[in-house]
Amino acid sequence: MTTLQKLRGDPRIEIPLRGRTLTIYGQGARLGLFSFVATVVLFNLPWHWIPGLGDVLQALVAAAGFYLSAALIGSLRPTAMDAETSSRPWF
């Protein structure tokens, strides 16, 4: 079991969408929402105080935080594929 699967927990809701399935995870949704809020707070810090590197760090915080939040909350997969197989390429 990968770290991502441990953090996500069991699938809570599966929603069919145009030949694909959106899977929302129970434990991962709460953790993902927390990481989303933490990313927004970190993004709004005064990064301009670090000359030259502040803008790059702010963009990295945003990209990594939002990617982590999305990966924890759910996954979009083809209908024929199970949720565990589709989560392997995320991390």
Side-chain angles (χ1 to χ4, degrees):
M1 181 176 272
T2 66
T3 303
L4 178 60
Q5 289 171 336
K6 289 178 189 176
L7 290 174
R8 282 180 168 176
D10 295 326
R12 178 176 285 180
I13 301 171
E14 292 187 351
I15 305 167
L17 296 168
R18 296 186 195 157
R20 304 194 86 173
T21 302
L22 175 65
T23 304
I24 307 287
Y25 297 93
Q27 179 181 344
R30 284 183 242 117
L31 188 58
L33 288 175
F34 173 76
S35 68
F36 172 76
V37 171
T39 299
V40 170
V41 169
L42 286 174
F43 182 81
N44 288 313
L45 291 176
W47 292 100
H48 63 276
W49 288 351
I50 306 171
L53 192 58
D55 292 335
V56 174
L57 289 175
Q58 187 177 25
L60 286 174
V61 164
F66 291 133
Y67 183 82
L68 178 65
S69 297
L72 287 171
I73 291 173
S75 67
L76 187 62
R77 61 183 169 85
T79 302
M81 186 182 293
D82 66 333
E84 289 184 21
T85 306
S86 69
S87 69
R88 285 188 197 138
W90 279 84
F91 279 131

